[in-house]
Amino acid sequence: MKPLDLLQQSLHKRVLVEMKGGRSYRGVLDAFDQHLNLVLSSAEEVVKDVSTPKSGLTVLRGDSVIYVSP
Amino acid sequence: MKPLDLLQQSLHKRVLVEMKGGRSYRGVLDAFDQHLNLVLSSAEEVVKDVSTPKSGLTVLRGDSVIYVSP
Amino acid sequence: MKPLDLLQQSLHKRVLVEMKGGRSYRGVLDAFDQHLNLVLSSAEEVVKDVSTPKSGLTVLRGDSVIYVSP
Amino acid sequence: MKPLDLLQQSLHKRVLVEMKGGRSYRGVLDAFDQHLNLVLSSAEEVVKDVSTPKSGLTVLRGDSVIYVSP
Amino acid sequence: MKPLDLLQQSLHKRVLVEMKGGRSYRGVLDAFDQHLNLVLSSAEEVVKDVSTPKSGLTVLRGDSVIYVSP
Amino acid sequence: MKPLDLLQQSLHKRVLVEMKGGRSYRGVLDAFDQHLNLVLSSAEEVVKDVSTPKSGLTVLRGDSVIYVSP
Amino acid sequence: MKPLDLLQQSLHKRVLVEMKGGRSYRGVLDAFDQHLNLVLSSAEEVVKDVSTPKSGLTVLRGDSVIYVSP
């Protein structure tokens, strides 16, 4: 199986996304594509231990993603 | 559904766009493409808490986008 | 409509181009392509509030463009 | 043989992954693709000698990978 | 017209090329391609106001080019 | 002959690989591909003059390679 | 003529290659390809005015090249 097939297992579950530049996001993974563009719902952004809730759907550009984990 | 299909739901609504390099933009999402190039109308730019209104249509290059959220 | 179709509306009008690395340009948009390579005429370059007029046509590489606005 | 054919030999074995930005990961290599996107299980993240265990499957974006070794 | 068609007008004329990393070059534009790879003859390199003449043909990689102007 | 054809001459010989970010590797070149992804055996990593031996096969992502030399 | 056709004129001649990150190389250009991957023989590396001779063939990844000149 390929990495993106395994990411399928995290669909509709809460994930942690670490981004380049020191940001991270927690939220429910609603969608992703082959570039690792991601959509999170019920997301919160964490920058330097400060957490900010995000309303609606947050679209993250895959190019800035370092990793996705549960 | 794919991330860019879900971004379709934000079309013609106000969004927050976080960019690489510490800039962010608020405005109405008038258009986007598969590279996440975006067009905002009635936009304002925020750099280090200083907000600058932008007249007309602002075209943002997708390559500098980190995320788009409502 | 797609972002680059909307950029068409700025053709032959004055635009502000913000570039990576802290440069910006003001000038008349004479041409652009799908990479957001741009050609400005009657351009001036602004780096740290110092403005330098540029004679002739200035070709900006799209890869360094952050945004284009009126 | 090509590099990714040889990486096949590390499948389902513990690997060390060094990433750009000073992070590294240890875990069992469950999947990889031609971009060097990787999936690790039983992973731990090491940043500046601080180790954090990660539950479930960690998907690492190939673009940030520097090397993979046993 | 497209940006690279307009660059055609600068062929065999003196241009200023601003590069990422603080370098710039002045010289006669002898050739370019769609990546904005450039060839200058009679070039001089300027780094922090220090000018160095270059003999022969200087091939600049397009990927580092910010702009080309007369 | 093309660069990667000449790299073929270093196959199964010891090489020095300089990477972006200040790392270098010495080892036997077991495989490479057109992206300059490399596999080294009997490798040692050198960061700031500190050498660390690596067991097994080390897969280096081509994107971080600066040069390969004997 | 295109830039890479003109680089053909430097084949088997001594060139100076300036790389991103402050390195430069002098050597005989034995091969190049469309990515500006280069092979130098009888090369020496110069970092901060310290010159190091390189034995055998040095393969430079095009992605790090800024310019090639005689």
Side-chain angles (χ1 to χ4, degrees):
Chain A
M1 285 177 87
K2 289 294 166 194
L4 298 189
D5 299 328
L6 289 172
L7 189 55
Q8 189 73 22
Q9 300 184 5
S10 293
L11 208 60
H12 309 306
K13 294 183 184 153
R14 280 190 80 75
V15 294
L16 168 65
V17 184
E18 189 75 37
M19 304 282 282
K20 293 177 189 167
R23 290 162 194 279
S24 60
Y25 297 86
R26 283 203 164 279
V28 174
L29 181 65
D30 278 4
F32 67 89
D33 64 18
Q34 81 277 20
H35 304 294
L36 232 43
N37 293 321
L38 305 172
V39 178
L40 301 184
S41 56
S42 309
E44 56 185 322
E45 179 186 48
V46 184
V47 183
K48 291 181 187 165
D49 294 324
V50 179
S51 174
T52 314
K54 315 286 296 179
S55 64
L57 298 175
T58 301
V59 180
L60 302 172
R61 199 171 192 269
D63 156 73
S64 287
V65 171
I66 298 177
Y67 72 80
V68 185
S69 72
Chain B
M1 284 178 88
K2 290 293 166 196
L4 298 188
D5 298 328
L6 289 172
L7 189 55
Q8 189 73 21
Q9 300 183 4
S10 294
L11 208 60
H12 308 307
K13 294 182 185 155
R14 281 190 79 75
V15 294
L16 168 66
V17 183
E18 189 75 38
M19 305 282 281
K20 294 176 188 167
R23 289 162 194 279
S24 59
Y25 297 86
R26 284 204 163 278
V28 175
L29 182 64
D30 278 5
F32 67 90
D33 64 19
Q34 81 277 20
H35 305 293
L36 231 44
N37 293 321
L38 305 172
V39 178
L40 301 184
S41 57
S42 308
E44 56 185 323
E45 179 187 47
V46 184
V47 183
K48 292 179 187 165
D49 294 323
V50 180
S51 174
T52 314
K54 315 286 297 178
S55 64
L57 298 176
T58 300
V59 180
L60 301 172
R61 200 172 192 268
D63 155 74
S64 287
V65 170
I66 297 176
Y67 72 79
V68 185
S69 72
Chain C
M1 283 179 87
K2 290 293 166 196
L4 300 188
D5 298 329
L6 289 171
L7 189 55
Q8 189 72 21
Q9 300 184 5
S10 294
L11 207 60
H12 307 307
K13 294 182 184 155
R14 281 190 79 75
V15 293
L16 167 66
V17 184
E18 189 75 36
M19 305 282 281
K20 294 176 188 168
R23 289 163 194 278
S24 59
Y25 296 86
R26 282 203 165 279
V28 175
L29 182 65
D30 278 5
F32 66 91
D33 64 19
Q34 81 276 20
H35 305 293
L36 232 43
N37 292 321
L38 305 172
V39 178
L40 301 185
S41 57
S42 309
E44 56 184 322
E45 179 186 47
V46 183
V47 183
K48 292 179 187 165
D49 294 322
V50 180
S51 173
T52 314
K54 316 285 298 177
S55 64
L57 298 176
T58 301
V59 180
L60 301 172
R61 198 171 193 268
D63 156 73
S64 288
V65 170
I66 297 176
Y67 73 79
V68 185
S69 72
Chain D
M1 285 178 86
K2 290 294 166 193
L4 298 189
D5 299 328
L6 288 172
L7 188 55
Q8 189 72 23
Q9 299 183 8
S10 293
L11 208 59
H12 309 306
K13 294 183 184 151
R14 281 190 79 73
V15 294
L16 168 66
V17 184
E18 189 76 35
M19 304 282 282
K20 293 176 188 167
R23 291 162 193 279
S24 60
Y25 297 85
R26 282 204 165 278
V28 174
L29 182 65
D30 279 4
F32 66 90
D33 64 18
Q34 82 277 17
H35 305 294
L36 232 42
N37 292 321
L38 305 173
V39 178
L40 301 184
S41 56
S42 310
E44 55 185 323
E45 180 186 47
V46 184
V47 183
K48 291 181 187 164
D49 293 323
V50 179
S51 175
T52 314
K54 315 286 297 177
S55 64
L57 298 175
T58 301
V59 179
L60 302 172
R61 198 170 192 271
D63 156 73
S64 287
V65 170
I66 298 176
Y67 72 80
V68 185
S69 73
Chain E
M1 283 179 88
K2 290 293 165 194
L4 299 188
D5 298 328
L6 289 172
L7 189 54
Q8 189 72 22
Q9 300 183 5
S10 294
L11 207 60
H12 308 305
K13 294 182 183 154
R14 282 190 78 76
V15 294
L16 167 66
V17 184
E18 189 75 35
M19 304 281 281
K20 293 176 189 169
R23 290 162 193 280
S24 60
Y25 296 87
R26 282 203 164 279
V28 174
L29 182 65
D30 278 5
F32 66 90
D33 63 20
Q34 81 276 19
H35 306 293
L36 232 43
N37 292 322
L38 306 172
V39 178
L40 301 184
S41 58
S42 310
E44 56 184 323
E45 179 186 47
V46 183
V47 183
K48 291 179 189 166
D49 293 323
V50 179
S51 174
T52 314
K54 317 285 298 177
S55 64
L57 297 176
T58 300
V59 180
L60 301 173
R61 197 170 193 270
D63 156 73
S64 288
V65 170
I66 297 177
Y67 72 78
V68 185
S69 71
Chain F
M1 285 177 87
K2 290 294 166 192
L4 298 189
D5 299 327
L6 289 172
L7 189 54
Q8 189 72 22
Q9 299 184 6
S10 293
L11 208 60
H12 309 305
K13 295 182 184 154
R14 281 190 79 74
V15 294
L16 168 67
V17 184
E18 190 75 35
M19 304 281 282
K20 293 176 188 167
R23 292 163 193 279
S24 59
Y25 297 86
R26 283 204 165 278
V28 174
L29 182 65
D30 278 5
F32 67 90
D33 64 18
Q34 82 277 19
H35 305 292
L36 232 43
N37 293 322
L38 305 172
V39 178
L40 301 185
S41 57
S42 309
E44 55 184 323
E45 180 186 46
V46 184
V47 183
K48 291 180 187 165
D49 292 324
V50 179
S51 174
T52 314
K54 316 285 298 177
S55 64
L57 297 175
T58 300
V59 180
L60 302 172
R61 199 170 192 270
D63 156 73
S64 288
V65 170
I66 297 175
Y67 72 80
V68 185
S69 72
Chain G
M1 284 178 87
K2 290 293 166 193
L4 299 189
D5 298 328
L6 289 172
L7 188 55
Q8 189 72 22
Q9 300 184 5
S10 293
L11 208 61
H12 309 304
K13 295 183 183 153
R14 282 189 79 76
V15 293
L16 168 67
V17 183
E18 189 75 36
M19 305 281 281
K20 293 176 189 168
R23 291 162 193 280
S24 59
Y25 296 86
R26 282 202 165 280
V28 174
L29 182 65
D30 278 4
F32 67 90
D33 63 19
Q34 82 276 19
H35 305 292
L36 232 43
N37 292 322
L38 305 172
V39 178
L40 302 184
S41 57
S42 310
E44 56 184 323
E45 179 186 47
V46 183
V47 183
K48 291 179 187 166
D49 292 324
V50 179
S51 174
T52 315
K54 316 285 299 177
S55 63
L57 298 176
T58 300
V59 179
L60 301 172
R61 198 170 193 270
D63 156 73
S64 288
V65 170
I66 297 176
Y67 72 79
V68 185
S69 72

